[in-house]
Amino acid sequence: MKVYGDEMSASVARVLLCLHEKNTEFELVPVNLFACHHKLPPFLSMNPFGQVPALQDDDLTLFESRAITAYIAEKHRDKGTDLTRHENSKEAAIVKLWSEVEAHHFNPAIFAVIHQLIVVPLQGESPDAAIVEKNLEKLGKVLDVYEERLGKTKYLAGDTYTLADLHHVPYTYYFMKTSHAGLINDRPNVKAWWEDLCSRPAFLKVSPGLTVAPTTN
């Protein structure tokens, strides 16, 4: 498997986390985001939307990080961490449910905050405080749901770590470096969950590459 992207990208890190959880060998092929190499024809032939990551596995090419993690988790279902609970259809459905929550409720809000506080300054511009405030409010409401859920189960989809948790990790890592980390730390169940996620061996392998957060998908 070849993963095309930059390890500082949250979406690339999402894929790398999955590969490490599955103890799967891969090659990371660097794509210089600051030089906009993801907008050049060679990369656009893999992802016409010009966003990292892209994955090549023999004759298969995929883009969109969550589609890639789903493929890796399914292909290597019998290796490493069971990220999909594939042997139990009801548990697998709960994994998909909370994965959808991450994609449609958590990610849009936290992405907007990270973009304004980390990416926009890298581009030499000033963050839009109104966008930050609006999305912090949205994120807080999502985390209230998580706080209740995590009072009942150790992880979002049950008592085992799955893709539903993994998908949260890179952007939460960046978020915790902002002045708004209290949104996590002030919710005891969410805080304990996050501390668990960022102590995993796979994360410890990926985290050194998470230095800044360019726009990805």
Side-chain angles (χ1 to χ4, degrees):
M1 286 188 181
K2 291 184 178 180
V3 179
Y4 293 80
D6 192 308
E7 59 186 351
M8 73 179 67
S9 157
S11 295
V12 173
R14 192 178 284 135
V15 172
L16 301 184
L17 278 171
C18 185
L19 287 161
H20 285 303
E21 288 285 351
K22 285 296 181 180
N23 300 320
T24 299
E25 293 185 1
F26 65 93
E27 176 186 354
L28 177 62
V29 182
V31 176
N32 190 325
L33 302 179
F34 293 106
C36 293
H37 289 177
H38 54 307
K39 303 298 184 181
L40 298 178
F43 188 83
L44 292 174
S45 68
M46 294 184 290
N47 183 352
F49 296 101
Q51 295 177 308
V52 295
L55 177 138
Q56 287 186 334
D57 186 21
D58 295 327
D59 61 347
L60 176 68
T61 300
L62 293 175
F63 53 91
E64 297 291 344
S65 62
R66 294 169 188 82
I68 294 171
T69 60
Y71 169 73
I72 293 167
E74 175 63 23
K75 178 176 180 177
H76 300 289
R77 59 166 61 188
D78 297 323
K79 291 176 60 178
T81 308
D82 179 3
L83 295 173
T84 60
R85 306 304 295 164
H86 63 274
E87 293 184 352
N88 184 306
S89 60
K90 291 183 179 180
E91 292 182 8
I94 299 299
V95 174
K96 291 177 182 177
L97 185 157
W98 285 99
S99 295
E100 288 291 308
V101 170
E102 183 277 329
H104 297 292
H105 297 279
F106 178 88
N107 191 73
I110 201 168
F111 173 84
V113 173
I114 295 302
H115 183 77
Q116 289 297 319
L117 296 183
I118 297 180
V119 179
V120 167
L122 287 173
Q123 297 170 337
E125 301 175 7
S126 298
D128 187 320
I131 292 176
V132 173
E133 189 63 30
K134 179 176 70 174
N135 283 283
L136 285 173
E137 182 179 356
K138 291 180 179 178
L139 182 61
K141 291 178 180 178
V142 176
L143 292 174
D144 285 341
V145 175
Y146 284 19
E147 180 69 11
E148 181 178 359
R149 173 65 177 174
L150 293 166
K152 301 173 183 176
T153 60
K154 184 176 181 179
Y155 299 101
L156 287 175
D159 290 324
T160 58
Y161 178 88
T162 68
L163 287 180
D165 307 293
L166 182 152
H167 288 165
H168 289 78
V169 172
Y171 276 123
T172 304
Y173 175 79
Y174 281 125
F175 182 80
M176 295 302 288
K177 293 185 173 297
T178 74
S179 61
H180 302 289
L183 264 72
I184 300 290
N185 290 329
D186 292 344
R187 293 170 170 84
N189 297 329
V190 174
K191 181 182 179 182
W193 170 71
W194 170 243
E195 290 176 347
D196 182 287
L197 301 190
C198 65
S199 69
R200 295 182 66 83
F203 176 75
L204 298 178
K205 293 178 181 179
V206 172
S207 60
L210 293 170
T211 53
V212 295
T215 302
T216 54
N217 76 325

